[in-house]
Amino acid sequence: MKTELPVSPRLSNQDLAPEEKKEWGWYSIFAFWMSDVHSVGGYVFAASLFALGLNGIQVFISLLAGISIVLLFANLMGKPGQKAGVPFPVVARMSFGVFGANIPAVIRGLIAVVWYGIQTYLASSSFIILLLYFCPQMESLANSSFVGLSYLGWIGFSSMWILQAIVFMFGMNMIRKVIDWSGPAIYLAMFALCAYMINLAGWENISFNLGKESLVGSEAIMTMIVATALVAGYFAGPTLNFSDFSRYCGSYKALKIGNILGLPVNFLLFSIFSVIIVSASIPVFGEMIVDPVETVKRLDSGMITVLGALTFIFATVGINIVANFVAPAFDFSNVSPQKISFKTGGFIAAFGSILLTPWNLFNNPEVIHYTVDVLAAMIGPLYGIIIVDYFFIKKEKIDVPSLYTESPQGLYWYKDGINMNSVYALAIASMAAILSTFFITELANYALFIGGFVSAFVYKFLMEKRLSWAGGSVLAKQP
């Protein structure tokens, strides 16, 4: 008879425990991806791909290839979370050990903190447009500053920070309601803005080729490969911790349907809207404008200005809560479950984002480049380790009680709660990804894949070697 494993308070709380209700259907997953795609950053990113020198067909092939890779990894990374009803840091316990999982959790959490502040700052730019539209006298507040941000900027940033905090305070049910309706609402607003810009520019002046020169032959193929890698890299963060959301989904079939509609279909449609608006900005304003906030600011129509500003506020708040609030909430809670709840973990990230003064980061590309790229270089290795462990080492089997126990009899105890094989694989692969990012410029765009393949190979080699020493009878005992 199998001995019942005691649940450790150092590994469990109400938020980290397996989700039992699983009330999300395919639409909630679809809406999740809409919130992740529909943002100022997503708009600029989609438009930038059309400016690489590729023609419209080449860009859409690249977009489809890249988003198909994201779809594949979303299905893979979401499966263990959906099956066991547990968030990302608990899923990571299978491969890193019940305490070693704090390593990937903290890595993902720190990335989210940086981007949470930057996205809040971007949302505040749209909010300031509304403020100045209704209260133009407030423009005088832009003349004085504190810690690098004007008083007007502080009002905008604080307002967006508080708005997101209010949504988050009501928990995952409120977050689901927000993402369920905000995505479709943003589509309606984008359609209105698109129609307005086409009317101003004339359909004959709309082009899907925004590059200054057209690429052909091998040069075009290499650029398409780069574009594909950029698409996959853009969604690497939220796809990594997708179990934070898939845990609420009622079935794996519904999860896959939501992913198909939310990724290829949704992303391509949003990209079309984005490039039409950017293309129309050339005849309307005499120059190409890839920042949608700037486009809205220049329009004469009061209704469109207000509608556009509100759209980008909700779009940016949506992606921020989905990608950068929920992730650190679970990640930091995992570090000390009895002291840090889901909500406390989220607010740790929110307050940390203020201390980083994200407006200074955003205005200093070199600093943000090194800060984010070093952290992002570790995301690929985490994919490789977790996927290989779940699908090839553990054969898709999860022993849920072992995820929450300090007992040496638990399958994920390894040695002192840490699987050093995953730590070694992470360190080796991260160095490979960092070298690719900063020292071999030709490989910089592929660091995510390099890190992932290196970690997968190293981890599989080390684990199979350990299993052969252990006679293949014990999954988690360290030799």
Side-chain angles (χ1 to χ4, degrees), residues 147-189:
V147 198
L149 186 65
S150 70
Y151 292 161
L152 182 61
W154 272 106
I155 292 174
F157 183 85
S158 301
S159 299
M160 290 299 95
W161 194 95
I162 293 171
L163 174 63
Q164 293 170 120
I166 291 173
V167 173
F168 190 75
M169 282 177 63
F170 288 94
M172 285 302 298
N173 282 334
M174 176 59 75
I175 291 173
R176 186 186 70 168
K177 291 177 182 178
V178 169
I179 64 177
D180 276 356
W181 68 262
S182 63
I186 290 165
Y187 258 132
L188 291 175

Side-chain angles (χ1 to χ4, degrees), residues 15-20 22 79-87 90-91 243 246-249 398 400 404:
D15 303 306
L16 297 175
E19 179 64 31
E20 297 179 355
K22 295 189 177 183
K79 191 168 189 178
Q82 189 282 321
K83 184 176 182 179
V86 298
V90 177
V91 168
S243 283
S246 67
R247 66 182 300 212
Y248 300 105
C249 195
I398 306 175
V400 175
Y404 298 94

Side-chain angles (χ1 to χ4, degrees), residues 53-380:
L54 300 171
N55 61 42
I57 297 297
Q58 291 168 335
V59 169
F60 278 107
I61 291 174
S62 303
L63 289 173
L64 185 59
I67 209 65
S68 296
I69 293 174
V70 178
L71 173 64
L72 171 65
F73 283 103
N75 286 336
L76 294 176
M77 293 300 293
K79 191 168 189 178
Q82 189 282 321
K83 184 176 182 179
V86 298
F88 165 72
V90 177
V91 168
R93 292 175 186 178
M94 287 191 288
S95 51
F96 281 84
V98 290
F99 292 127
N102 284 324
I103 297 173
V106 169
I107 290 172
R108 178 64 183 101
L110 290 176
I111 294 173
V113 170
V114 173
W115 283 111
Y116 181 81
I118 292 175
Q119 292 283 8
T120 302
Y121 172 64
L122 291 174
S124 70
S125 299
S126 297
F127 183 72
I128 289 172
I129 291 176
L130 286 181
L131 281 179
L132 294 179
Y133 180 79
F134 291 105
C135 304
Q137 66 274 16
M138 294 184 70
E139 190 168 4
S140 61
L141 296 174
N143 299 325
S144 302
S145 65
F146 174 70
V147 198
L149 186 65
S150 70
Y151 292 161
L152 182 61
W154 272 106
I155 292 174
F157 183 85
S158 301
S159 299
M160 290 299 95
W161 194 95
I162 293 171
L163 174 63
Q164 293 170 120
I166 291 173
V167 173
F168 190 75
M169 282 177 63
F170 288 94
M172 285 302 298
N173 282 334
M174 176 59 75
I175 291 173
R176 186 186 70 168
K177 291 177 182 178
V178 169
I179 64 177
D180 276 356
W181 68 262
S182 63
I186 290 165
Y187 258 132
L188 291 175
M190 284 287 287
F191 178 79
L193 180 59
C194 189
Y196 186 75
M197 291 294 289
I198 290 174
N199 181 61
L200 291 178
W203 179 253
E204 66 279 3
N205 296 316
I206 303 297
S207 171
F208 284 99
N209 299 320
L210 301 179
K212 294 182 179 179
E213 55 184 45
S214 297
L215 301 177
V216 295
S218 60
E219 192 175 7
I221 293 174
M222 290 306 299
T223 304
M224 289 173 69
I225 294 174
V226 169
T228 299
L230 288 174
V231 173
Y234 181 79
F235 293 98
T239 308
L240 178 68
N241 65 283
F242 188 45
S243 283
D244 289 344
F245 299 90
S246 67
R247 66 182 300 212
Y248 300 105
C249 195
S251 70
Y252 188 57
K253 180 180 179 181
L255 180 74
K256 291 191 292 184
I257 293 173
N259 283 343
I260 290 173
L261 295 175
L263 285 168
V265 176
N266 172 55
F267 183 61
L268 290 175
L269 184 58
F270 182 77
S271 297
I272 291 172
F273 277 133
S274 300
V275 75
I276 288 176
I277 296 171
V278 171
S279 178
S281 71
I282 299 173
V284 173
F285 303 117
E287 60 179 320
M288 184 170 71
I289 301 176
V290 297
D291 183 350
V293 177
E294 181 64 25
T295 299
V296 169
K297 190 186 300 184
R298 293 197 186 190
L299 293 174
D300 294 331
S301 171
M303 183 186 72
I304 292 295
T305 298
V306 171
L307 179 64
L310 286 172
T311 297
F312 296 121
I313 287 173
F314 285 112
T316 308
V317 167
I319 189 177
N320 220 14
I321 291 176
V322 165
N324 303 318
F325 214 141
V326 173
F330 283 122
D331 293 335
F332 295 151
S333 178
N334 189 73
V335 175
S336 183
Q338 296 305 307
K339 295 180 180 178
I340 305 175
S341 66
F342 172 75
K343 291 181 181 179
T344 303
F347 280 109
I348 289 174
F351 282 108
S353 70
I354 299 175
L355 297 178
L356 286 174
T357 61
W359 46 90
N360 291 324
L361 274 177
F362 187 75
N363 293 323
N364 193 330
E366 187 174 352
V367 172
I368 194 171
H369 167 69
Y370 285 107
T371 301
V372 176
D373 283 0
V374 168
L375 292 172
M378 299 181 184
I379 288 185

